[in-house]
Amino acid sequence: MENLEQQLRSASGEVPDVVKELRQEVEALRNRLQNPENLTLRKTSQDSSASNTPSTSKRKKRVTGKHQPYGRRDPDSARQVYNKFMEISEGSACEGVRKWLRQATFESDAWSDEELLLLLQHIYVDLGLPSRFGISMPVLRRFLFAVYDNYNDVPFHNFRHCFCVAQMMYAMICKAELMPRIGELETFILITSCICHDLDHPGYNNIYQINARTELALRYNDISPLENHHCSVTFRILEEDPESDIFANLSPTDYRKVREGVIRCILATDMARHNEILAQFREIIPIFDYENPAHINLLSMVLIKVADISNEARPMNVAEPWLDRLLQEFFSQSDAEKMEGLPVTPFMDRDKVTKPSSQCSFIGYVLLPLFEALGDLLPELDDLIIIPVREALDYYRRLNEAAKDERHRRSVDAASGGGSCKGDGGTEDGMTHSALLDPNSTSSAAPSGGHTYGGNVLTKSGSAHSMRSKRSLQWMRSHSHSHSRSYDGGDYEPVPQIPEKSRSIDATGEETLTEGILAENRPINEEADEEESSEEEDVDEEGEETVTEVEVSEKALKFKISTEGSSTIVLPPTGVRKRRESRVEGRVKTDDEGEGETNTSGGGKAGGTQDVPAEPSSQSTAPQDGDRTLDLTEENSQQPCRSQKNHHHSSIMSRLRHFTERLSLGGGDGHGRREGGLSPPNTPPRPHSDCSGASRGRASPLAMQRKTASLGREGHGKVGRGWRALVGGKGGNSSAAEGGGDSTGSTGSFLAACSPEELGNGTAGASPSAASSTSSSSVQPLRRKKGQERDVEEEIPGEGSLARSLDSMLQRDHCKWWQHQKIGRSGGPSPSSKQRGFFSFSSARSRGEKQAGGRGGGEARGSIGSGGSKGPPLLGGSIRRRKHNIGSQKVTGPGKVSVVLADGVACESAN
Ligand SMILES: Nc1nc2c(ncn2[C@@H]2O[C@H](COP(=O)(O)O)[C@@H](O)[C@H]2O)c(=O)[nH]1
Ligand SMILES: [Zn+2]
């Protein structure tokens, strides 16, 4: 522009007005673009021309990643989804689908995007939320679509993930009959939070955001940058398009509670806060009081966390594609980290992670302890989520054990000049069939770390097995004989096994020896302390572990916001070994015996219970009441922490210094400068085949099974097409649909997709899924069929021919297909003669059913608690809510400054 103006000036002596105006516009545009706030959402105004679609234009600039390989979905396809959603939006799910929607077996892949939107609508309506909170159906639909439109096209953290989380939340609410207990408002908060909890997720996590110093990390000062962003986007959606504002008719009090609640819940999904939240929750379980808002707060945070990581509670054919997507996202991030010279996040590193190792670690150390804590309070959820997760862990342990056995066998073979890796039970991919196939195999349950292989017990030298507790071994033994998902609910105490992480297995079963996991990952992935090295000495090379996401994420949070409204500098754990021990022992010690008091003085309540160490000297990473910050001054560094008998204080001090330096400095030259100059990685999302698994690149029965099960990702609509063909669309355009969406509904057509008789007569051979169903149902004890191997390359979603043939089959025989899906879920509901097929497509009126909608239309279902006024304060709890002036600072101790980040959230740090 400047050049142009200069030329014009020299040519004609003046700059014409039109050019001046143009310049102003360019300036305004530049300002908009440079302010990331303006870029978070797609502007409604930009595309309002097209059928009143709320928002479908491409955002110009990302705020969530420097080198971002992912993007939004194509605006045209989003618009199409909107139009289709509007077409079907007055339909409703039939009874069979509704029931399925309350199960962990629900398969989101079976539905198109617009169908999922319809199902989300159903969830709101079924819970009576629109009528209770004055949400008209057009507003609800517009909101749901805006949410859809603000998810990115990333492998895992996409709209379908948010759907799954919301659906699991719905299932838990129904199963445990939570609504009367927690109240309508909290239910509203929970469902909405689930739907919004990963909005605009870039596919790269907080660790990347912080290390790469992205706009988000800068904006949120490294404090849960993504979760803060998800919250921010949530409320921007509502602010920027009042027609989508589902909170518009809330009273000011309720609005405040909802806003606080949604923020609280979404922020709780940061895995860096996992231990803190779990520890606090465990504290209150024995005294849980549904009348106590602080307890409800914490329960909600746990519920959303559980829903968020609940994929492994789903049947194998649902869970595994999600794991593949997650690893795809992980690997893409670690590839980018490598290319950008950033610390490589160990649990995301394709060179170090296998599916079984990843899942053993995650389920054993992160997921199951959380689920079981929830199960302690809500035993109703055992069947729904806890037992399936135990089985998943059992399965992955077996895989891990088998892989270890195989490696051992190979090394023995190699040492003795032995030959082939194949034969006598070994598979091409390094798995030992005997261990996988034989549920009675003792290989995963051998006491004292013994492995059986070919009848010989190989004694493992390492400490990993010795770190299993007796109870763990007992459980593993008992479960190695388990043949059914119908777990007897016996005396199971989950004590995680130490998964093997030090080696990964490639497609041929070749193992890649990894270096010390922590060694490569500076700054925030490293345990740099010498003392720690010595602490690790008793971990043999096979017992080496990859730190979990929680551990790495905790470290990534320089400031850890506590739910008490203050924040604390996290004490770095004293070492992997101690962490493991504390996990192994902590639960046993804390729940009943009260031995976990070693690190609190005066019986401090908050925190620490999960990580209560086996040894008094170990550290809890959870903040303790009364001593929430670590004083960094030299003189105080010599003093023991007030609330912790800290035998390692000085080393922790040095570690902390080291750690905080590294944190703030990023990788690179050791002086805080990342090595620049690297070209953008330009790493497109890896195809599925790049997710390393215990076995890759080979077709297998399982792969076929999975292929048939994870249907129609070619547009996500394959399966639904059968239904859509039947329903045919209402024929109304989107605006008509919007207009007609009040509680009375318009004259929607009624269409029962198939009759109960048809369902009852379905035969197993009718579809590829039926094959899946048959085979998986015949192997109840494990989540996998005997001999099933992992084959990632075979799992590419949406791969043509099978999906196509299924699609055409579905158009003929969708009812049977659906029935088989139901049959096929291990642990899923048995098909009932009352099942009514896919969807019935009916208006509220024609079904004579409550269809919430316009104000006062339709009452809430179920027994609902008192008026939804239970919304507790943000960050409340045991938990004093503090009113602060945002931005204010005060010195809170020698070398410490407290800065108020947001209402109720203060951050204390060394100055
Ligand atoms: N290794 C695994 N990690 C998992 C699995 N399911 C979830 N996760 C991790 O948890 C977080 C949840 O947070 P989100 O709000 O970002 O979704 C997710 O990012 C994963 O990293 C799993 O099955 N295995
Ligand atoms: Zn999530």
Side-chain angles (χ1 to χ4, degrees), residues 151 156-157 161-162 165 194 197-198 201 230 269 304 307-309:
Y151 274 94
F156 183 90
H157 288 98
H161 167 61
C162 99
V165 175
C194 287
H197 86 281
D198 274 331
H201 197 296
H230 306 320
T269 63
I304 192 171
D308 193 20
I309 59 175

Side-chain angles (χ1 to χ4, degrees), residues 555-792:
K555 291 185 174 186
L557 268 188
K558 180 160 51 177
F559 304 106
K560 186 172 177 182
I561 306 174
S562 83
T563 47
E564 293 205 4
S566 68
S567 62
T568 190
I569 295 178
V570 183
L571 297 178
T574 56
V576 171
R577 182 177 64 82
K578 294 203 170 186
R579 276 196 300 272
R580 296 312 187 211
E581 285 175 356
S582 73
R583 287 197 198 97
V584 169
E585 303 295 338
R587 199 180 145 78
V588 179
K589 289 205 172 199
T590 53
D591 285 349
D592 300 314
E593 296 99 307
E595 288 174 37
E597 298 294 319
T598 49
N599 56 359
T600 61
S601 65
K605 284 181 66 167
T609 47
Q610 194 212 358
D611 274 339
V612 167
E615 299 165 18
S617 58
S618 299
Q619 296 294 310
S620 165
T621 58
Q624 306 297 308
D625 262 353
D627 191 11
R628 298 205 154 266
T629 57
L630 184 62
D631 193 329
L632 294 179
T633 57
E634 212 36 63
E635 82 186 270
N636 287 321
S637 73
Q638 302 310 314
Q639 305 298 322
C641 289
R642 267 172 292 153
S643 63
Q644 299 187 5
K645 293 172 187 161
N646 178 7
H647 297 190
H648 297 292
H649 186 70
S650 58
S651 83
I652 286 167
M653 294 307 300
S654 73
R655 195 180 311 136
L656 178 60
R657 273 189 220 102
H658 187 91
F659 161 67
T660 49
E661 276 162 22
R662 291 194 324 248
L663 261 180
S664 54
L665 301 182
D669 62 7
H671 298 286
R673 303 270 167 253
R674 268 191 309 109
E675 279 159 18
L678 289 169
S679 52
N682 194 24
T683 33
R686 297 265 170 179
H688 254 54
S689 55
D690 280 345
C691 301
S692 63
S695 66
R696 289 192 296 192
R698 294 172 52 251
S700 69
L702 173 63
M704 293 303 288
Q705 195 174 324
R706 276 197 305 267
K707 216 166 179 179
T708 57
S710 59
L711 294 165
R713 293 284 297 191
E714 204 173 67
H716 295 320
K718 289 294 183 185
V719 174
R721 215 172 282 163
W723 168 72
R724 284 199 300 280
L726 270 171
V727 170
K730 192 165 69 72
N733 61 28
S734 58
S735 52
E738 275 194 21
D742 64 13
S743 61
T744 56
S746 58
T747 54
S749 60
F750 177 85
L751 180 58
C754 56
S755 69
E757 292 71 33
E758 281 175 285
L759 281 167
N761 293 335
T763 55
S767 76
S769 289
S772 154
S773 308
T774 311
S775 54
S776 64
S777 62
S778 67
V779 189
Q780 288 300 316
L782 297 177
R783 288 157 51 84
R784 269 72 181 175
K785 189 170 181 267
K786 287 180 180 181
Q788 284 172 339
E789 302 123 332
R790 307 326 191 69
D791 189 323
V792 180

Side-chain angles (χ1 to χ4, degrees), residues 156-157 161 197-198 201 205 227 230 269-271 308-312 323 326-327 330 347-348 358-359 362-363 367 549:
F156 183 90
H157 288 98
H161 167 61
H197 86 281
D198 274 331
H201 197 296
N205 75 0
E227 290 71 22
H230 306 320
T269 63
D270 182 352
M271 296 303 285
D308 193 20
I309 59 175
S310 62
N311 285 332
E312 285 296 341
L323 177 57
L326 184 67
L327 291 179
F330 280 3
F347 65 86
M348 294 184 165
S358 176
Q359 293 312 81
F362 186 77
I363 300 172
L367 192 156
E549 177 172 4

Side-chain angles (χ1 to χ4, degrees), residues 224 261 289 422 454 501 508 590 722 773 776 799:
S224 304
D289 177 5
K422 299 179 192 174
K501 286 300 200 97
T508 61
T590 53
S773 308
S776 64
E799 272 216 300

Side-chain angles (χ1 to χ4, degrees), residues 53-67:
T53 313
S55 54
T56 52
S57 72
K58 269 267 183 244
R59 198 177 40 209
K60 303 284 186 302
K61 185 187 164 195
R62 301 202 142 267
V63 296
T64 47
K66 200 170 170 192
H67 305 302

Side-chain angles (χ1 to χ4, degrees), residues 81 85 88 97 101 106-124 144-145 148 158-164 166-167 195 322 713 715-717 720 723-724 839:
V81 168
F85 175 43
I88 64 172
V97 173
L101 203 58
F106 191 83
E107 222 177 318
S108 61
D109 277 356
W111 309 91
S112 66
D113 289 353
E114 59 272 18
E115 287 162 354
L116 294 184
L117 286 166
L118 186 62
L119 291 171
L120 288 177
Q121 173 183 301
H122 168 79
I123 289 174
Y124 272 86
L144 291 174
F145 178 76
Y148 168 80
N158 50 40
F159 168 70
R160 280 166 183 272
H161 167 61
C162 99
F163 173 88
C164 290
Q167 185 263 323
I195 290 175
W322 278 112
R713 293 284 297 191
H716 295 320
W723 168 72
R724 284 199 300 280
F839 272 108

